[in-house]
Amino acid sequence: MARTQPKITLSPSRDIPFDRLILSAANVRRVRPDEGIANLADDIARRGLLHNLNVRPILDAEGQETGDYEVPAGGRRYRALQLLVKSWRLAKDAPIPCRVRAADDAILAEDDSLAENAQRVNLHPLDQFRGMQALVDKEQAIEDIAAHFFVTPAVVRQRLKLASVSPTLLDIYGEDRMSLELLMAFTVAGDEERQLQVWEMIADAHDPSPSWVRRKLTENSVRVSDKRVRFVGLDAYVEAGGSVVRDLFETDHGGWLTDVGLLDRLVAAKLEAEALRIGGEGWKWVDAAEEHVFNPGRGMRLLAGDEVAMTEEEEKRVAALEAEGEALSDEWSDADDVPDEVHARLEAIDAEISWLGDRPVIYDPVEVAIAGAFVSIDPEGRLRVERGFVKPEDEPEAEPADGEEAGDDAAGADDGAGKRANTAATAPGQAATEPEEEESGLKPLPDRLVSDLTAWRTLALQDAFAQSPDTAYVAVLHAFVLSCFYGYSRESCLQTSVQSVGFSNAPAGLRDCAPGQAIAARIDEWRARLPKSDKDVWDWLLELGDEDRASLFAHCASLSVNAQAEIVRGYDGRVSAHGIARRLAHSHILARAVGLDVVEAGWRPTADGYLNSVPKPRILADVTEARGENFAGMIDHLKKGDMAREAERLLEDAGWLPEPLRTPMLELSALADGGAEAASVPANDDGDAELPAFLAEEGGDEAGDPDAIAAE
């Protein structure tokens, strides 16, 4: 007959007075045994002792029990109880729940101590997230949960945010198929369906990127730092019913606005209200827009107004503010850590000085009645008001001066150009017929994109030109000689009336790019110095120093530089494809003379400004040219939008430029041959180049995996 397996008998439990317990030397925890004891003591005081102490009776010399017990397992709990006794929160003879082993038990005391500390599994983070959510569901306050678990409320909110992610993704994380960092990235959007869509895009990726997930989940949102949000105010957006999502795990600069349509309506309403307010000043018209094209007042006369001088009180206030600012700067100039209130005060001083220095201008009411104003939003989200522009059709009629006759000097030029238009060569990017495919299989860049890119390059060239007075003199002289001695030969890119360049099909954001802002600042500086009346300009120029006169000459000449490859079919009565080709050829010479560096000027191949406008083969060709085939292979499997965004990151620091932005090396005979260009700058095609940080894998062996997502 089979023998019955004996049943296990567990050690009995009973309460033992604390003063009869002694910490055993057999306890194996020796390294930092007191770490966290104070928090554990507070927790025991709140909820009691959750786990009994493991004890054994202490025997005397004859082997009899003394009534005292040693504690080989549960040393941290013993120390916490000891701290409660010392702080008078627990009686020294308070009964303590204990599990009692026999003194001669076959299991050694050290064995118990080691097992209790080694044979336990920490709570999985997912269980912690869900556990905290369960407490909140039972109406536990976040602050109370934080206090009970000795963490900050921010940590609790982070855990709760993680628990709010799609249950499907939480299960994937619980199965260790997703990292905690990746799970954190999914918290930036509350749309569980969108979360799952993004996960499907990267589920099979070798090392999916948290930052890529964040970008995908916020691509249809607007950052709080956007100028439109600054203009209407975040509070106004929220009060109107808009929502904001935050990233609790990364710096998000205030988060993202999810209702873009509501934001646009608020912007339009506020702009309309501001336009009505400005119109109340008596202007004939007010043109309000979120963003105006570059140089919106081109071809209009700008009124000269009288700036209101500061009052004596305002001058004293400015002096006091400047003195206070200098004193604070001197006091904290050598400090390693400047208090936030000092930073705030210095910013407030600068803002008030700027406000006092921005003087109102008084215009002649008669002229105000025929003039208008442009209202828009500047890059910082402030209202930008440009007053005093008179359209040509609103100018009062004037009697011609004695002996003055009307004429049209341009007619002959138009006729001559028109005759040549029939045999005109095609300008770069301006093909009159369908372009043949290149040997590589790539089609030429779209006309509109070439026009946009060269408009950007024109601003950069104008800015560099303005900083090179000597070149400006020579270039203008060159244009004068052509017009005086060579009839209708107009290969110069200078329009020397001087007439400011107006860009056809100007791309969005052109006015606020780095060269555009530099030019605008220079215009404002000279306007502040010039006489109010044009009758006084000649005498003022004669008194101007040579250096200032040269800088002003270069600035004025720079505004006529036009290097844009305009979209023209044949001849439109204004400019021909042949004329644009000659213009661009001369712009390359000018660019070399002033040392134009378009990358240094601030242009980058962004998704919005370039990559979204070209097909996928062009993106891959550009990445290959700039960084090598191994980089292109990392993004060739992506969809167009994702490919454009990842290519933007790859090209960001490559110093690469598309063909229309490059300045080729030209032979001096190139202009005589119709502007033929030499080969473009050589491409960076080094396939062994070091991978960028956001693509490099640990060890470097898998960096070229074509299935990897090229994102950080």
Side-chain angles (χ1 to χ4, degrees):
M1 184 175 180
R3 181 176 296 178
T4 303
Q5 182 75 17
K7 303 295 184 182
I8 297 173
T9 301
L10 299 179
S11 300
S13 299
R14 61 191 177 93
D15 292 345
I16 300 174
F18 181 75
D19 57 1
R20 305 308 300 267
L21 301 176
I22 300 171
L23 188 62
S24 174
N27 192 294
V28 298
R29 186 185 288 274
R30 303 293 173 81
V31 179
R32 297 197 294 271
D34 296 325
E35 185 175 10
I37 295 302
N39 287 343
L40 180 57
D42 291 339
D43 193 65
I44 292 173
R46 173 177 174 265
R47 71 177 86 246
L49 196 64
L50 295 180
H51 302 286
N52 294 353
L53 297 181
N54 189 326
V55 303
R56 298 178 184 229
I58 297 177
L59 307 179
D60 59 15
E62 286 75 26
Q64 302 297 316
E65 293 188 7
T66 62
D68 293 333
Y69 296 81
E70 64 175 344
V71 185
R76 293 185 71 248
R77 279 165 279 158
Y78 177 86
R79 289 184 174 87
L81 293 168
Q82 191 176 49
L83 181 60
L84 291 173
V85 170
K86 289 181 179 179
S87 61
W88 303 95
R89 290 189 285 172
L90 181 70
K92 65 180 180 179
D93 59 351
I96 306 300
C98 298
R99 177 174 170 272
V100 184
R101 272 192 183 275
D104 58 350
D105 195 291
I107 303 298
L108 298 176
E110 290 84 355
D111 195 345
D112 277 348
S113 178
L114 181 62
E116 183 170 280
N117 287 283
Q119 293 189 18
R120 60 183 179 183
V121 178
N122 290 331
L123 189 68
H124 192 280
L126 180 56
D127 294 326
Q128 185 188 70
F129 309 157
R130 288 170 168 164
M132 288 187 174
Q133 183 63 57
L135 294 177
V136 171
D137 292 342
K138 294 183 178 181
E139 300 184 351
Q140 280 271 353
I142 289 178
E143 289 72 15
D144 293 339
I145 297 174
H148 297 160
F149 290 93
F150 309 104
V151 295
T152 65
V155 170
V156 176
R157 292 188 182 93
Q158 288 179 336
R159 302 298 183 265
L160 295 175
K161 191 72 171 177
L162 288 165
S164 69
V165 174
S166 166
T168 301
L169 296 182
L170 290 178
D171 291 340
I172 292 172
Y173 169 64
E175 297 166 2
D176 294 329
R177 292 164 53 202
M178 178 191 301
S179 68
L180 178 59
E181 290 73 17
L182 196 61
L183 182 65
M184 291 176 179
F186 280 99
T187 65
V188 301
D191 186 343
E192 294 184 5
E193 182 179 353
R194 180 57 178 160
Q195 291 175 356
L196 293 176
Q197 289 174 350
V198 173
W199 168 251
E200 291 175 359
M201 298 178 189
I202 61 172
D204 297 328
H206 168 65
D207 186 15
S209 162
S211 63
W212 187 87
V213 170
R214 288 186 175 92
R215 288 200 307 276
K216 290 299 294 180
L217 291 174
T218 58
E219 62 185 359
N220 295 322
S221 305
V222 175
R223 280 195 175 275
V224 170
S225 57
D226 187 277
K227 72 176 186 178
R228 292 170 292 173
V229 183
R230 296 183 184 182
F231 177 63
V232 300
L234 182 60
D235 292 341
Y237 167 81
V238 174
E239 289 174 6
S243 60
V244 182
V245 297
R246 295 295 310 271
D247 189 343
L248 299 183
F249 303 95
E250 296 285 339
T251 301
D252 62 8
H253 303 290
W256 296 267
L257 279 63
T258 57
D259 195 337
V260 182
L262 173 61
L263 175 63
D264 288 339
R265 290 193 296 272
L266 292 174
V267 170
K270 186 171 182 179
L271 276 174
E272 183 179 358
E274 293 291 351
L276 289 173
R277 180 179 64 83
I278 301 300
E281 299 174 2
W283 302 104
K284 180 177 181 180
W285 53 268
V286 176
D287 186 351
E290 180 184 314
E291 178 181 319
H292 288 298
V293 297
F294 185 78
N295 193 10
R298 177 177 178 265
M300 303 182 193
R301 176 169 63 91
L302 182 61
L303 299 182
D306 295 317
E307 187 177 276
V308 178
M310 284 189 184
T311 64
E312 185 177 349
E313 291 74 14
E314 288 174 331
E315 291 178 348
K316 290 180 180 179
R317 178 60 179 164
V318 169
L321 289 170
E322 291 175 343
E324 182 184 356
E326 290 177 3
L328 282 174
S329 298
D330 292 341
E331 180 181 354
W332 295 97
S333 59
D334 298 326
D336 295 330
D337 187 16
V338 180
D340 291 340
E341 55 268 23
V342 175
H343 281 300
R345 180 54 189 159
L346 287 171
E347 290 176 0
I349 289 173
D350 289 341
E352 187 173 355
I353 291 176
S354 177
W355 179 77
L356 289 170
D358 187 12
R359 308 306 300 164
V361 178
I362 299 177
Y363 297 94
D364 183 344
V366 175
E367 291 196 307
V368 168
I370 64 171
F374 293 100
V375 176
S376 60
I377 307 173
D378 76 5
E380 301 302 319
R382 298 181 296 249
L383 184 70
R384 175 162 52 193
V385 182
E386 300 164 285
R387 297 174 173 86
F389 291 91
V390 183
K391 297 177 180 178
E393 60 268 26
D394 293 331
E395 290 282 7
E397 294 184 4
E399 293 295 331
D402 292 340
E404 190 176 78
E405 296 181 1
D408 186 1
D409 296 334
D414 288 345
D415 293 340
K419 294 176 182 177
R420 294 193 303 271
N422 295 328
T423 57
T426 300
Q430 313 299 324
T433 59
E434 189 66 23
E436 296 182 0
E437 289 202 352
E438 301 167 9
E439 293 182 3
S440 63
L442 296 176
K443 294 183 178 181
L445 293 177
D447 290 347
R448 177 57 187 266
L449 179 59
V450 173
S451 178
D452 289 352
L453 294 173
T454 52
W456 205 104
R457 180 176 181 264
T458 295
L459 287 189
L461 182 54
Q462 288 181 357
D463 189 30
F465 186 88
Q467 299 173 53
S468 182
D470 290 340
T471 304
Y473 272 123
V474 175
V476 172
L477 180 58
H478 168 258
F480 287 168
V481 170
L482 290 179
S483 61
C484 291
F485 296 95
Y486 296 93
Y488 299 113
S489 179
R490 291 288 189 271
E491 57 261 45
S492 174
C493 65
L494 268 67
Q495 300 174 356
T496 52
S497 351
V498 170
Q499 181 180 3
S500 296
V501 173
F503 297 105
S504 62
N505 304 311
L510 187 64
R511 193 179 191 191
D512 294 329
C513 69
Q517 291 190 54
I519 293 169
R522 204 156 38 240
I523 290 173
D524 291 341
E525 179 183 349
W526 282 114
R527 277 180 180 165
R529 297 181 59 183
L530 285 165
K532 290 183 174 57
S533 172
D534 58 344
K535 296 178 181 179
D536 301 327
V537 171
W538 180 250
D539 291 337
W540 181 83
L541 286 174
L542 292 178
E543 297 175 0
L544 196 62
D546 290 341
E547 185 176 347
D548 281 346
R549 193 184 301 153
S551 296
L552 178 58
F553 177 88
H555 165 71
C556 293
S558 74
L559 299 182
S560 69
V561 173
N562 189 351
Q564 184 183 23
E566 298 178 63
I567 302 174
V568 176
R569 304 300 182 189
Y571 180 69
D572 66 356
R574 179 181 57 88
V575 65
S576 67
H578 176 72
I580 291 176
R582 306 282 285 183
R583 169 201 297 177
L584 294 179
H586 183 257
S587 76
H588 296 322
I589 297 177
L590 193 59
R592 293 173 56 200
V594 299
L596 175 65
D597 187 334
V598 177
V599 175
E600 182 68 23
W603 190 87
R604 295 293 183 273
T606 62
D608 292 337
Y610 173 73
L611 296 163
N612 284 335
S613 301
V614 298
K616 291 175 64 174
R618 171 68 66 177
I619 295 176
L620 295 174
D622 291 344
V623 172
T624 300
E625 180 185 29
R627 303 306 301 269
E629 292 184 1
N630 55 332
F631 290 90
M634 293 177 183
I635 63 173
D636 61 2
H637 62 290
L638 298 177
K639 293 181 179 179
K640 170 64 181 297
D642 299 330
M643 180 184 289
R645 280 185 287 273
E646 299 311 318
E648 175 180 336
R649 292 170 59 78
L650 287 169
L651 296 174
E652 182 178 6
D653 297 319
W656 176 88
L657 294 172
E659 188 74 23
L661 292 180
R662 301 178 187 177
T663 301
M665 301 298 292
L666 297 178
E667 298 294 337
L668 293 179
S669 60
L671 286 177
D673 295 334
E677 300 180 9
S680 301
V681 293
N684 175 10
D685 197 20
D686 185 1
D688 298 327
E690 183 180 355
L691 291 173
F694 68 91
L695 282 178
E697 299 291 342
E698 188 170 348
D701 295 334
E702 298 174 333
D705 184 357
D707 295 329
I709 296 292
E712 185 177 56

